[in-house]
Amino acid sequence: MSTVTIPLGPTEVRCPICLDVFDWDETDLFTFRDGAYVPLDLSGVGDPVKRNDEMIGAYRRCPNPSADMAERHYLPISYASYGPPLVIGFIGRTESGKSHLLAAIVSEIERGGLGPLGFTAVPVDEEAHRAYWRQYVASLVDEGRAIEHTARVQSDAMVTFTDALVVSDGRRQRAVAFFDVAGDDLVARTRSMRFVLALDALIFVVDPEYALRQNAPSDGDATFETVMARLRAQPGLTDRLPVALAVSKSDLYRFEQPAARWYRRPSLSAYLDGRAEPTEIRDESRDAYAFLYARGARAWLRPFETFRRATLHFVSATGSKAVTDDRGDTFDKVFPRGVRPRRVLDPLAAIFAMSGLLGEDAAKEVGT
């Protein structure tokens, strides 16, 4: 990933932490030094080269206009420097594979996986991105170790994005932020879970191991229902927000149709030179819908039936099932054959298309 310049311009942004809306400008800038946020004064820096260099790694302090949070919070300067960011939330129960899917997505992006869409990507916050990479992505992809369950947060804690990238097609740039919190937190209607109201798109992760088992709950995934209830309470959100349903762990069904048909297709096969092929996307959505419906998992399809713009996808973040490594003093879950993600970028590409990043034609046709 290469570096980018930081062109700031006034825009209105909703803070994903406190949900307040404020003007994004060059006021209230900070840098993070020695474990603390320190004011960054650029009033005497007129040279644009020096100014851009000073802005790398800077943060904008949220003014929290409603004054409903005691703790100050900060956002990386690239978060909204290119207009309002695209904020994507991963929704699903604990053990559904949300964290593995996000780590696999970030890994594939780092390897240039957005190329078929015409996009490159750089971190919004280099230091935070590298910390996420070392703790989660490298552990999974390089070492073949399963990611531990996402830690729960306190009911009034500040929740911020897990990672964020600036994507560019050479003409436009936009920040894309990913939220991944514990499934047990998502089912709680706490103040900390208000971040779902700041989301611009959602990826619902369907765990087929759970959804297709004989004694699966008839009411589906409780995290789906809780999040959708919050969104339905806000007029217009279910019509506006694009949604992708990712059937995770599809490697378990790679010899069964229709999963086998899609599992063997190359990643992003529905895209050419950044353009979406709506027919292929609809075909996969149809097959994934039928796959879940025919096996008694209709309750997991409610997001598809609730939101006006939605797609379904067969994905596998790892390519195989983890086993317990009981050698030595630890009992970690590992992937002895390594990790081989399959089609993990397709749900993200569908979100990009429905959000307008791939042009007006894709925004009108994909997910309808």
Side-chain angles (χ1 to χ4, degrees):
M1 293 188 179
S2 57
T3 58
V4 295
T5 56
I6 314 291
L8 269 182
T11 188
E12 197 173 63
V13 63
R14 181 178 295 279
C15 175
I17 299 173
C18 69
L19 294 188
D20 283 348
V21 176
F22 65 97
D23 289 330
W24 189 271
D25 52 34
E26 291 189 357
T27 62
D28 235 4
L29 297 180
F30 286 74
T31 186
F32 193 73
R33 188 182 307 143
D34 297 328
Y37 289 96
V38 180
L40 178 62
D41 183 9
L42 298 179
S43 58
V45 183
D47 185 282
V49 174
K50 293 180 179 180
R51 189 176 188 84
N52 281 335
D53 187 59
E54 290 286 347
M55 292 290 283
I56 296 174
Y59 295 82
R60 170 74 158 89
R61 182 167 65 181
C62 174
N64 187 209
S66 66
D68 63 348
M69 296 192 74
E71 189 174 352
R72 290 286 194 177
H73 47 283
Y74 306 80
L75 296 169
I77 203 64
S78 293
Y79 182 77
S81 294
Y82 309 100
L86 175 62
V87 184
I88 303 173
F90 285 70
I91 311 300
R93 61 182 290 274
T94 299
E95 296 185 346
S96 65
K98 298 192 312 299
S99 297
H100 288 88
L101 178 57
L102 176 55
I105 286 174
V106 173
S107 175
E108 292 296 288
I109 293 175
E110 185 87 15
R111 297 172 187 270
L114 294 180
L117 303 180
F119 284 104
T120 57
V122 296
V124 162
D125 184 330
E126 182 73 38
E127 186 173 343
H129 171 74
R130 287 302 158 195
Y132 171 72
W133 181 276
R134 289 190 298 269
Q135 184 173 356
Y136 297 101
V137 183
S139 176
L140 175 67
V141 177
D142 297 337
E143 301 173 14
R145 296 194 172 277
I147 297 174
E148 294 184 4
H149 296 163
T150 305
R152 297 199 63 181
V153 300
Q154 296 179 353
S155 61
D156 59 349
M158 292 193 306
V159 177
T160 189
F161 52 83
T162 305
D163 196 15
L165 304 168
V166 176
V167 299
S168 172
D169 62 1
R171 296 173 289 114
R172 299 166 300 165
Q173 293 173 305
R174 189 174 183 185
V176 180
F178 302 106
F179 274 83
D180 174 29
V181 302
D184 291 338
D185 285 323
L186 287 170
V187 296
R189 289 188 175 87
T190 59
R191 185 176 180 182
S192 63
M193 292 299 104
R194 291 190 309 179
F195 79 88
V196 300
L197 302 179
L199 297 177
D200 300 299
L202 301 96
I203 295 178
F204 288 89
V205 181
V206 180
D207 178 2
E209 274 195 301
Y210 184 75
L212 305 185
R213 67 180 187 176
Q214 189 172 9
N215 60 342
S218 59
D219 59 349
D221 190 325
T223 68
F224 288 15
E225 301 303 318
T226 304
V227 169
M228 287 192 296
R230 282 191 112 139
L231 297 176
R232 281 194 298 262
Q234 305 296 323
L237 280 189
T238 55
D239 288 334
R240 179 176 62 83
L241 298 184
V243 160
L245 273 75
V247 182
S248 67
K249 307 175 186 177
S250 291
D251 53 280
L252 299 175
Y253 305 92
R254 63 184 179 274
F255 300 119
E256 300 180 29
Q257 296 294 354
R261 173 190 177 193
W262 297 101
Y263 188 81
R264 287 171 172 77
R265 290 208 175 196
S267 181
L268 301 179
S269 61
Y271 302 86
L272 178 64
D273 298 329
R275 293 172 294 171
E277 176 47 63
T279 301
E280 182 171 333
I281 298 169
R282 291 191 192 106
D283 287 349
E284 184 176 10
S285 294
R286 176 202 62 206
D287 286 353
Y289 187 100
F291 174 81
L292 295 174
Y293 188 97
R295 289 163 173 77
R298 183 172 182 178
W300 275 262
L301 292 167
R302 285 174 185 158
F304 185 81
E305 298 164 350
T306 298
F307 293 87
R308 187 176 66 86
R309 305 290 303 279
T311 59
L312 292 95
H313 309 268
F314 291 102
V315 306
S316 174
T318 59
S320 62
K321 191 172 183 178
V323 299
T324 301
D325 181 7
D326 57 1
R327 293 171 296 178
D329 298 327
T330 62
F331 293 87
D332 295 336
K333 290 281 189 176
V334 298
F335 299 93
R337 297 179 182 176
V339 169
R340 301 180 300 277
R342 297 289 298 175
R343 298 182 61 82
V344 296
L345 291 180
D346 284 74
L348 180 63
I351 295 294
F352 280 10
M354 291 184 281
S355 301
L357 269 70
L358 302 187
E360 293 183 6
D361 291 342
K364 291 178 181 177
E365 296 189 52
V366 175
T368 57

